[in-house]
Amino acid sequence: MSEQKATNITWHEGSVTRDEREKLLGQKGVTVWMTGLSASGKSTIAVILEQMLLHMKKHAYRLDGDNIRMGLNKNLGFSAEDRAENIRRIGEVARLFTDAGVIAITSFISPYRKDRDAVRASMKSGEFIEVYVNVSLETAEMRDPKGLYKKARAGQIKGFTGIDDPYEAPEKAEIVIETEKTKPEDAAKQILSHLERGGYLRA
Amino acid sequence: MSEQKATNITWHEGSVTRDEREKLLGQKGVTVWMTGLSASGKSTIAVILEQMLLHMKKHAYRLDGDNIRMGLNKNLGFSAEDRAENIRRIGEVARLFTDAGVIAITSFISPYRKDRDAVRASMKSGEFIEVYVNVSLETAEMRDPKGLYKKARAGQIKGFTGIDDPYEAPEKAEIVIETEKTKPEDAAKQILSHLERGGYLRA
């Protein structure tokens, strides 16, 4: 298709539909919601998945602490209320990206079932793919790449998931990744296969 | 960069860059921020612009009251503090879409210069294109498609922009649209030409 120039552009009544955006991108909008303990490997898998999608010419975008915590959610703390609001906002942004036709990949601990289920409920069936990145607390503590578990054990961080705040594992995750038996690139492929089988990688 | 090959998918260390996303999409991420009185024609122009971009195979996404007010910002009211937070969050979402390589088009009254300038300051130079959709209060009130000005004049809506709350016109908007002399499709083309000249429609 040759590109049209601004001067001879046509338009019709009504907004661009999601279907039109998806046809343009050759994919379907969806949210891949990774949940799991700190150091479970969520971000590592998300980064690889995003890359694999790019190589398949698919438009994906990752939402994670790096681009959310100091931006959209910088005015939130760690109270129960703020934690719920944190996940709610991330869910709303993921929903917008999904509506835009993008494959949104979120990697947040998102420890509470109620908060994750609220995000799921805000989307249409099939738009929310929950990926449980399962790791034992022992392994996560052993990995501890940022020394956070150590600090939590020493009481320097309060309300740390797995130590003095609960992690509620998903009961109906679409994908479960057993990180102690699965290499990150194989985990990413596991998610990719799910997306392929589900028809998300074509319009 | 260390590359690994596995089946037919390759990946390398590190995240997908914005540049890679933009190359995939054949465009540059940018925020087109429309500001103006209620009934100035922001949404009408935004809808046409989005369509024209789609016809040029460009990926645009509109943020407006329909997909923000009942979602991300449903817990905000109309206090001065909440109005600022409303624009801040919209700005942060626009920034994420811009980083994703999308042409984000926002259409909100966004009456306060300070709030708009804060969004501008949060982005890199050239990423924020302010479009002042200029209309006289008289014309806006005459149009009044939703009967909002009438209600505001009757005191049924408080703090309505232009009636009992100020609209602070941009002083350094990249684009000014004189809606009383310009058809919406010509206004959209005016923005499109700016995007073309600025190199946003190629990677």
Side-chain angles (χ1 to χ4, degrees), chain A residues 1-16 20-21 24-25 47-48 50-63 67-68 70-75 85 88-90 92-93 95-97 99-102 185 189 192, chain B residues 3-4 6-7 9-16 20-21 24-26 47-48 50-63 67-68 70-75 85 88-90 92-93 95-97 99-102 185 189 192-193 196 201:
Chain A
M1 283 270 187
S2 60
E3 278 190 3
Q4 279 188 289
K5 288 290 172 196
T7 42
N8 56 8
I9 266 319
T10 59
W11 63 282
H12 56 77
E13 293 294 323
S15 307
V16 169
E20 286 177 297
R21 281 191 292 272
L24 171 69
L25 296 169
V47 163
I48 299 172
E50 187 191 17
Q51 271 196 35
M52 289 179 172
L53 286 166
L54 179 85
H55 284 282
M56 297 171 81
K57 310 266 179 229
K58 301 303 166 190
H59 188 202
Y61 190 66
R62 279 186 309 114
L63 298 170
N67 58 17
I68 292 290
M70 303 311 276
L72 181 65
N73 291 356
K74 71 177 176 188
N75 54 2
E85 174 66 4
R88 189 193 72 82
R89 288 188 200 168
I90 293 162
E92 290 293 346
V93 172
R95 200 154 71 90
L96 291 168
F97 272 96
D99 186 53
V102 177
E185 56 265 41
K189 283 183 193 171
L192 205 55
Chain B
E3 270 203 6
Q4 285 200 19
T7 65
I9 295 288
T10 61
W11 62 284
H12 56 77
E13 293 295 323
S15 308
V16 169
E20 286 177 299
R21 282 191 292 273
L24 172 69
L25 295 169
V47 163
I48 298 171
E50 187 190 16
Q51 269 195 36
M52 289 179 171
L53 286 166
L54 179 86
H55 284 282
M56 297 171 83
K57 311 273 178 219
K58 299 304 165 192
H59 189 202
Y61 189 66
R62 280 187 306 114
L63 300 171
N67 57 19
I68 292 288
M70 303 311 274
L72 181 66
N73 290 356
K74 71 177 175 188
N75 53 3
E85 173 68 4
R88 189 192 73 83
R89 288 189 200 167
I90 293 161
E92 289 293 346
V93 173
R95 201 156 69 92
L96 291 168
F97 272 96
D99 186 53
V102 177
E185 56 265 43
K189 283 181 192 175
L192 205 54
S193 296
E196 266 185 339
L201 304 186

Side-chain angles (χ1 to χ4, degrees), chain B residues 16-201:
Chain B
V16 169
T17 64
R18 174 163 170 184
D19 190 57
E20 286 177 299
R21 282 191 292 273
E22 292 183 336
K23 283 212 174 85
L24 172 69
L25 295 169
Q27 64 187 47
K28 289 190 187 78
V30 65
T31 291
V32 177
W33 188 283
M34 324 264 285
T35 172
L37 290 174
S38 180
S40 59
K42 296 180 299 299
S43 292
T44 306
I45 297 165
V47 163
I48 298 171
L49 176 63
E50 187 190 16
Q51 269 195 36
M52 289 179 171
L53 286 166
L54 179 86
H55 284 282
M56 297 171 83
K57 311 273 178 219
K58 299 304 165 192
H59 189 202
Y61 189 66
R62 280 187 306 114
L63 300 171
D64 61 18
D66 290 342
N67 57 19
I68 292 288
R69 205 171 292 135
M70 303 311 274
L72 181 66
N73 290 356
K74 71 177 175 188
N75 53 3
L76 295 176
F78 291 91
S79 68
E81 196 181 29
D82 277 13
R83 282 175 188 222
E85 173 68 4
N86 177 51
I87 297 302
R88 189 192 73 83
R89 288 189 200 167
I90 293 161
E92 289 293 346
V93 173
R95 201 156 69 92
L96 291 168
F97 272 96
T98 297
D99 186 53
V102 177
I103 299 166
I105 308 167
T106 68
S107 55
F108 297 88
I109 298 173
S110 49
Y112 304 134
R113 203 173 291 132
K114 185 166 64 83
D115 297 341
R116 294 191 308 265
D117 285 351
V119 177
R120 179 189 290 274
S122 77
M123 301 201 194
K124 291 195 195 89
S125 172
E127 281 183 2
F128 181 86
I129 298 175
E130 193 171 16
V131 181
Y132 177 28
V133 185
N134 189 20
V135 68
S136 67
L137 180 61
E138 293 66 34
T139 300
E141 262 197 278
M142 208 170 60
R143 292 178 184 166
D144 203 13
K146 299 172 197 160
L148 296 174
Y149 284 99
K150 206 175 167 184
K151 282 186 184 167
R153 287 285 185 199
Q156 294 168 281
I157 304 174
K158 301 285 180 197
F160 195 78
T161 300
I163 305 299
D164 54 348
D165 211 70
Y167 177 76
E168 299 171 358
E171 287 170 341
K172 51 185 176 190
E174 277 76 5
I175 301 172
V176 178
I177 290 166
E178 301 296 348
T179 63
E180 281 153 278
K181 302 179 211 157
T182 315
K183 283 188 292 185
E185 56 265 43
D186 290 330
K189 283 181 192 175
Q190 192 180 331
I191 302 169
L192 205 54
S193 296
H194 185 98
L195 294 175
E196 266 185 339
R197 281 197 311 271
Y200 296 97
L201 304 186

Side-chain angles (χ1 to χ4, degrees), chain A residues 93-169:
Chain A
V93 172
R95 200 154 71 90
L96 291 168
F97 272 96
T98 298
D99 186 53
V102 177
I103 299 165
I105 307 167
T106 69
S107 55
F108 297 89
I109 299 173
S110 48
Y112 305 135
R113 203 174 289 132
K114 184 165 65 82
D115 297 341
R116 296 191 306 266
D117 285 353
V119 177
R120 179 188 289 275
S122 77
M123 300 202 193
K124 293 196 195 88
S125 172
E127 282 182 2
F128 181 85
I129 298 176
E130 194 171 15
V131 181
Y132 176 28
V133 185
N134 190 19
V135 69
S136 67
L137 180 61
E138 292 66 32
T139 300
E141 262 198 279
M142 208 169 61
R143 292 177 185 167
D144 203 14
K146 300 173 197 161
L148 297 174
Y149 284 100
K150 207 174 167 187
K151 282 187 183 168
R153 287 283 185 203
Q156 295 168 278
I157 304 175
K158 301 286 182 195
F160 195 79
T161 300
I163 305 298
D164 55 347
D165 211 70
Y167 178 78
E168 300 172 356

